[in-house]
Amino acid sequence: VWSYTLIYVCVTIPLYGLNIFLPKIIEDLSYKDTNRELLVVPPYVVSFLTLLIFTWNSGRVNERGNHLMILI
């Protein structure tokens, strides 16, 4: 349990940090407001599509554990 917790924390902290600070990172690259907002969208679209594909496939093969291991 402790090793899983350590792995989970080490994986999620950089991901949440990227999600929270991505608009600020792009703003520091000196893009305008409209361009900055449009540059933030693609990572979220990719993650949404990935989740849709994984949930559809896990329901199709009735195997959720392995899919969760791949996503985490």
Side-chain angles (χ1 to χ4, degrees):
V1 171
W2 286 106
S3 61
Y4 176 75
T5 304
L6 181 65
I7 292 169
Y8 179 76
V9 167
C10 289
V11 169
T12 56
I13 287 175
L15 292 176
Y16 283 125
L18 182 65
N19 286 338
I20 291 170
F21 294 112
L22 187 61
K24 180 64 177 161
I25 293 168
I26 292 175
E27 179 184 343
D28 288 343
L29 294 173
S30 69
Y31 285 101
K32 300 286 186 208
D33 288 335
T34 308
N35 289 337
R36 183 179 67 224
E37 296 299 325
L38 290 175
L39 288 172
V40 173
V41 172
Y44 293 112
V45 171
V46 169
S47 65
F48 172 71
L49 293 175
T50 302
L51 284 175
L52 280 181
I53 291 168
F54 269 78
T55 54
W56 171 79
N57 192 29
S58 68
R60 185 178 61 86
V61 297
N62 201 18
E63 187 179 82
R64 282 146 182 89
N66 293 337
H67 288 82
L68 284 174
M69 287 189 300
I70 292 169
L71 284 176
I72 293 176

